[in-house]
Amino acid sequence: EARGRDDALRALGRPIDLAIIDCVNIEDSVALARELQHAQPALRVLYFSASDNDAGTTAAEPRLRKPFLPDTLVRVVAQALS
């Protein structure tokens, strides 16, 4: 679990399958995802946000809209990892 950008980048010392990123600021969140993926190209990203702003994300990257149910999170994570 990373509490911010610096924690996330420190976690790159070990393989990460999926980064789940809260899009408080979509541009910063997308930049973080791209930086993580540059270090680990196989890394998948799941964004979640209360906003409809998808700027910078791709259609292939799953997004969850807040609020969401735990079952929805489990389903989307499973899809992202498959």
Side-chain angles (χ1 to χ4, degrees):
E1 177 180 335
R3 299 245 180 235
R5 180 186 178 279
D6 292 337
D7 283 350
L9 294 174
R10 274 192 293 278
L12 290 176
R14 61 184 187 274
I16 302 171
D17 295 317
L18 177 67
I20 302 174
I21 300 176
D22 187 355
C23 293
V24 174
N25 177 317
I26 187 67
E27 290 81 16
D28 289 346
S29 299
V30 171
L32 171 61
R34 299 300 175 252
E35 194 167 352
L36 294 170
Q37 288 174 317
H38 178 76
Q40 293 191 18
L43 176 71
R44 295 174 184 105
V45 176
L46 167 62
Y47 297 100
F48 67 97
S49 176
S51 168
D52 287 333
N53 182 359
D54 290 339
T57 64
T58 69
E61 295 170 319
R63 295 206 34 141
L64 278 173
R65 298 278 181 246
K66 291 189 232 178
F68 50 83
L69 298 172
D71 288 349
T72 303
L73 176 62
V74 169
R75 179 179 47 80
V76 172
V77 166
Q79 288 173 344
L81 292 173
S82 65

